[in-house]
Amino acid sequence: HTVAQGETVLAATGAGAPRAIVVGSSETGTLVVTGGKLELRGVQPDVVGNSTLPGTVLVDGGTLFKTNASEFFLGLGGTGGWGALVVSNGTATLRSITNATSGSTITLAGGTLEMGRFRRSATFTNYFNGGTLKAMTNESSWIQSGTVNLVGGSGLTVDMVGYDVVLLSSLSSNAPAAGLVKKGAGILTLQAPN
């Protein structure tokens, strides 16, 4: 999706309550957003990585936007059907991210990832190396326990925007210059050892 495409809304409706997107199902898939705004309004959860095939969503400019009640799945069913969300520039706004397959990842290396919550049911790793993680609402389980959160040398900025959130999993770093910067009104609670 590019800036030339302006604003695109994928509003899946009708019989069978369809999804707006499935990236990586019958073959490995990649969705790249480099400009404009791509809004997902599927009734059922959107899926990145399905069954035995991986999928990747790369936001490198522009906006990926999904705020309706359905989930944004990274990996769904099977082995090898992992999903990856990479934000290196631009903004990804996702109300609810769920990981259901081991090996799925989120990489925030620039830009902004705005999310309401992150839930997991399998092994999952977040890589934070620059960029801003932004709260969308008050949430007592913003990032679920058991998630591995690695902070790189460019660190992590968390923008509270007036909301209170609880990070149930720990942050760790293998880079001496890494740091956590909290900005905006609101309380960020780090519940696990860091």
Side-chain angles (χ1 to χ4, degrees), residues 29-193:
T30 302
L31 170 64
V32 180
V33 178
T34 59
K37 179 180 179 182
L38 177 60
E39 183 173 352
L40 308 175
R41 292 187 191 167
V43 176
Q44 291 292 322
D46 295 311
V47 177
V48 179
N50 191 29
S51 188
T52 60
L53 294 165
T56 301
V57 171
L58 170 62
V59 179
D60 192 27
T63 301
L64 174 67
F65 187 81
K66 178 180 180 69
T67 60
N68 67 355
S70 68
E71 302 284 329
F72 185 84
F73 273 101
L74 293 174
L76 180 63
T79 57
W82 52 265
L85 172 64
V86 179
V87 180
S88 60
N89 193 7
T91 301
T93 300
L94 303 166
R95 181 183 194 111
S96 183
I97 303 171
T98 299
N99 164 50
T101 305
S102 292
S104 295
T105 60
I106 292 175
T107 301
L108 179 60
T112 300
L113 173 57
E114 183 177 16
M115 66 178 201
R117 66 178 176 194
F118 173 78
R119 299 187 307 172
R120 65 160 202 90
S121 60
T123 304
F124 194 88
T125 303
N126 290 321
Y127 298 98
F128 301 121
N129 192 21
T132 300
L133 188 59
K134 191 173 180 180
M136 289 179 71
T137 186
N138 293 321
E139 179 58 57
S140 61
S141 180
W142 196 39
I143 298 180
Q144 231 177 11
S145 61
T147 305
V148 177
N149 299 293
L150 300 174
V151 180
S154 295
L156 171 63
T157 298
V158 179
D159 187 351
M160 305 308 300
V161 200
Y163 296 114
D164 299 337
V165 298
V166 179
L167 184 67
L168 296 175
S169 57
S170 62
L171 297 169
S172 61
S173 174
N174 57 2
L180 173 66
V181 175
K182 182 241 179 219
K183 71 179 200 177
I187 299 170
L188 172 61
T189 302
L190 303 176
Q191 189 162 326

